[in-house]
């Protein structure tokens, strides 16, 4: 099968499984200008699936870098009302949202960290209601990837531009289970496997996890009453089942915002807004980060933690076996979508309301009452590797082996 046909199948996978586009449903695609050729395939697949209209919101890393260089912090933090109103209109219409990533992981290195923070914070504040709706599964959404020369050369600098670009496509399609004749059918099988893992965790009714590994991580994560373990398939209120990340290997839930303690070390670099953060650690007491350090990207990590009151607490706990397709490539993708699906991870910031019983119908105050964290950010970082062990505890003190030596026990 040639690459063109594989990319057509990959695009159909996004539309049919990722978004599950319904007849006469609008679609918004956010993507890099470098991905234009592939995005055209996605647009066509959306229309073939019955989409009413497909809108594309382009981004360009080089232009973003120029904006960050020349605009003031005040300008960067100011998001127009018309832009915010447009997103509300999209939500009201039941739009399916697709994000196509692929920028150079280190493409914004060296930019003014204060301006970067102002830009991210301004957008987060302006689109707070949109993010709340998305994390409550009001509409289907999905994050996927496309090969670009900038990203590919960062991973395979020894290859020519074209060779690196094609190699990255091959690795993406492999990691996304999209190299076969029928990726849609392959994904239905994969979803069933993850559903079984979530069922196992539910049946044990855990109240706490203890995570350790040879990096030095020794972390306790409390779980709120009524927490839900989510697997690949989510269900949108204004559509059917969708898959939020392609690829995904995780089963995840909501930690209690006040019940994380101990220390955790990152197992892989974190790419945050085009800046790499690595060799970092976080110390928690009563749910909050009370100390931290980083050998690379310290200012970027500091900006995350100083976003708001909730950015020093965690909002997600995700379990991913070390022996997974992405991990087994041996490639550090320098992109969270892939690297988080090669390792157990946690997220600083906002919790998914869908990870607690009745959460998507709760007010912010009700979510806080059950232990859900709230923040303008949700930043995943990887903590699992081959020596990771995870023990679960039930309310009556029973210990349940969850992970041993990096994999499901």
């Amino acid at each position: 099968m040639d690459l063109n046909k594989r990319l057509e199948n990959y695009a159909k996978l996004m539309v049919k499984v990722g978004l599950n586009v319904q007849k006469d449903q609008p679609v918004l695609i956010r993507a890099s200008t470098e991905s234009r050729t592939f995005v055209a395939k996605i647009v066509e697949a959306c229309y073939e699936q019955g989409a009413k209209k497909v809108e594309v919101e382009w981004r360009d890393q080089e232009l973003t870098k120029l904006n960050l260089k020349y605009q003031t912090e005040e300008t960067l933090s100011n998001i127009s009302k018309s832009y915010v109103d447009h997103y509300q209109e999209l939500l009201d219409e039941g739009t399916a949202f697709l994000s196509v990533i692929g920028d150079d992981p280190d493409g914004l290195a060296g930019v003014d960290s204060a301006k970067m923070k102002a830009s991210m914070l301004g957008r987060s504040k302006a689109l707070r209601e949109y993010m709340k709706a998305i994390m409550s599964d009001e509409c289907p959404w999905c994050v996927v990837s496309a090969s670009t020369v900038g990203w590919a050369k960062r991973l395979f600098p020894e290859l020519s531009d074209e060779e690196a670009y094609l190699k990255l496509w091959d690795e993406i399609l492999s990691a996304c289970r999209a190299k076969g004749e029928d990726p849609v059918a392959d994904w239905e099988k994969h979803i069933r496997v993850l559903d079984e893992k979530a069922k196992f965790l539910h049946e044990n009714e855990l109240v706490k996890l203890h995570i350790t590994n040879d990096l030095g991580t020794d972390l306790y994560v409390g779980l709120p009453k009524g927490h839900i373990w989510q697997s690949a398939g989510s269900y949108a209120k204004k559509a059917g089942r969708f898959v939020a990340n392609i690829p995904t290997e995780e089963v995840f839930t909501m930690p209690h915002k006040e019940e994380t303690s101990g220390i955790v070390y990152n197992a892989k670099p974190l790419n945050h807004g085009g800046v790499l953060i690595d060799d970092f650690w976080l110390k928690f007491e009563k749910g909050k980060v009370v100390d931290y350090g980083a050998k690379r990207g310290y200012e970027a990590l500091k900006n995350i933690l100083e976003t708001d009151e909730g950015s020093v607490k965690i909002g997600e706990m995700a379990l991913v076996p070390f022996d997974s397709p992405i991990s087994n490539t041996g490639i550090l993708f320098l992109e969270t979508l892939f690297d988080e699906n090669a390792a157990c991870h946690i997220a600083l910031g906002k919790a998914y309301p869908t990870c607690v019983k009745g959460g998507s119908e709760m007010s912010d105050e009700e979510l806080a009452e059950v232990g859900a964290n709230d923040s303008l950010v949700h930043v995943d970082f990887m903590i699992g590797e081959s020596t990771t062990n995870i023990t679960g505890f039930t309310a009556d003190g029973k210990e349940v082996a969850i992970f041993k030596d990096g994999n499901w026990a």
Side-chain angles (χ1 to χ4, degrees):
M1 191 189 313
D2 64 18
L3 179 60
N4 186 62
K5 181 60 178 176
R6 285 180 175 175
L7 293 184
E8 288 177 358
N9 286 345
Y10 181 40
K12 290 176 182 177
L13 173 66
M14 297 173 186
V15 173
K16 293 183 177 182
V17 175
L19 294 179
N20 189 15
V21 173
Q22 305 294 300
K23 182 173 173 55
D24 294 327
Q25 183 176 31
V27 178
L28 173 68
I29 302 171
R30 289 171 294 214
S32 166
T33 51
E34 281 195 77
S35 306
R36 183 185 177 282
T37 301
F38 177 59
V39 170
K41 295 182 185 297
I42 305 174
V43 171
E44 184 170 17
C46 287
Y47 282 125
E48 289 177 346
Q49 188 71 5
K52 179 181 180 180
K53 62 178 180 179
V54 183
E55 178 182 339
V56 181
E57 182 180 302
W58 297 105
R59 67 177 183 277
D60 187 290
Q61 196 173 51
E62 193 62 34
L63 297 181
T64 297
K65 195 167 187 176
L66 290 172
N67 288 335
L68 289 167
K69 179 179 180 179
Y70 290 104
Q71 289 184 22
T72 64
E73 288 182 32
E74 181 181 0
T75 301
L76 289 165
S77 65
N78 183 25
I79 308 299
S80 70
K81 184 177 183 299
S82 61
Y83 185 78
V84 177
D85 289 345
H86 180 53
Y87 266 76
Q88 187 58 52
E89 291 173 4
L90 292 170
L91 287 172
D92 293 342
E93 293 174 350
T95 300
F97 297 88
L98 184 72
S99 294
V100 185
I101 61 173
D103 291 325
D104 180 345
D106 218 15
L108 297 182
V111 302
D112 187 318
S113 62
K115 287 187 174 184
M116 176 78 80
K117 181 179 179 180
S119 176
M120 289 185 171
L121 197 56
R123 182 177 174 85
S124 295
K125 287 180 177 179
L127 295 178
R128 185 183 183 94
E129 291 305 310
Y130 160 75
M131 285 306 302
K132 181 179 178 181
I134 287 297
M135 294 184 76
S136 297
D137 292 348
E138 293 284 345
C139 296
W141 58 280
C142 185
V143 183
V144 297
S145 63
S147 179
T148 62
V149 172
W151 184 16
K153 286 291 288 183
R154 188 71 61 180
L155 302 188
F156 313 114
E158 73 282 0
L159 302 180
S160 68
D161 286 2
E162 183 178 6
E163 289 172 334
Y165 172 78
L166 293 175
K167 179 171 176 55
L168 180 54
W169 260 132
D170 189 64
E171 297 295 348
I172 287 173
L173 294 174
S174 179
C176 293
R177 303 170 187 265
K179 293 182 75 172
E181 294 288 339
D182 191 352
V184 171
D186 292 340
W187 265 82
E188 292 299 337
K189 295 176 184 177
H190 179 48
I191 291 169
R192 288 195 292 271
V193 170
L194 292 178
D195 285 346
E196 283 299 311
K197 298 299 184 184
K199 181 181 177 183
F200 160 76
L201 293 164
H202 274 300
E203 290 174 344
N204 278 283
E205 298 182 348
L206 304 172
V207 298
K208 182 170 60 177
L209 300 176
H210 182 207
I211 307 158
T212 60
N213 62 35
D214 288 355
L215 296 175
T217 291
D218 189 353
L219 192 72
Y220 286 91
V221 178
L223 305 174
K225 185 177 180 180
H227 69 276
I228 295 172
W229 288 95
Q230 300 270 19
S231 50
S234 301
Y235 290 85
K237 297 176 183 177
K238 298 180 180 179
R241 190 200 72 191
F242 67 96
V243 175
N245 290 169
I246 295 180
T248 185
E249 304 289 334
E250 69 180 297
V251 178
F252 65 98
T253 194
M254 171 194 298
H256 193 290
K257 64 177 182 175
E258 309 292 349
E259 297 179 6
T260 298
S261 62
I263 192 166
V264 63
Y265 290 80
N266 75 303
K268 295 177 183 291
L270 165 63
N271 173 20
H272 185 65
V275 178
L276 291 179
I277 308 171
D278 199 10
D279 289 327
F280 66 92
W281 55 270
L282 305 172
K283 182 180 179 181
F284 289 86
E285 291 180 4
K286 297 180 180 179
K288 295 182 179 180
V289 175
V290 295
D291 198 7
Y292 62 94
K295 292 183 179 178
R296 179 176 185 178
Y298 177 86
E299 287 299 320
L301 178 61
K302 183 172 181 284
N303 284 342
I304 294 170
L305 293 169
E306 293 181 350
T307 300
D308 53 30
E309 185 179 348
S311 61
V312 293
K313 302 178 182 180
I314 63 174
E316 180 186 352
M317 177 73 236
L319 305 182
V320 181
F322 181 74
D323 185 18
S324 64
I326 299 171
S327 179
N328 289 340
T329 66
I331 297 172
L332 183 62
F333 284 88
L334 300 176
E335 173 50 61
T336 301
L337 175 64
F338 286 82
D339 294 334
E340 74 169 8
N341 282 296
C344 291
H345 56 275
I346 58 179
L348 290 165
K350 189 173 180 64
Y352 287 99
T354 53
C355 284
V356 68
K357 187 175 181 180
S360 59
E361 308 300 329
M362 291 181 183
S363 65
D364 290 344
E365 293 74 21
E366 289 170 329
L367 283 166
E369 186 67 24
V370 299
N373 192 35
D374 191 23
S375 175
L376 290 171
V377 298
H378 179 94
V379 182
D380 296 284
F381 65 97
M382 290 60 72
I383 66 171
E385 39 76 85
S386 63
T387 68
T388 298
N389 294 316
I390 302 177
T391 301
F393 296 87
T394 63
D396 59 4
K398 177 186 175 184
E399 295 188 10
V400 181
I402 307 297
F403 266 53
K404 181 175 175 56
D405 297 329
N407 293 308
W408 292 99

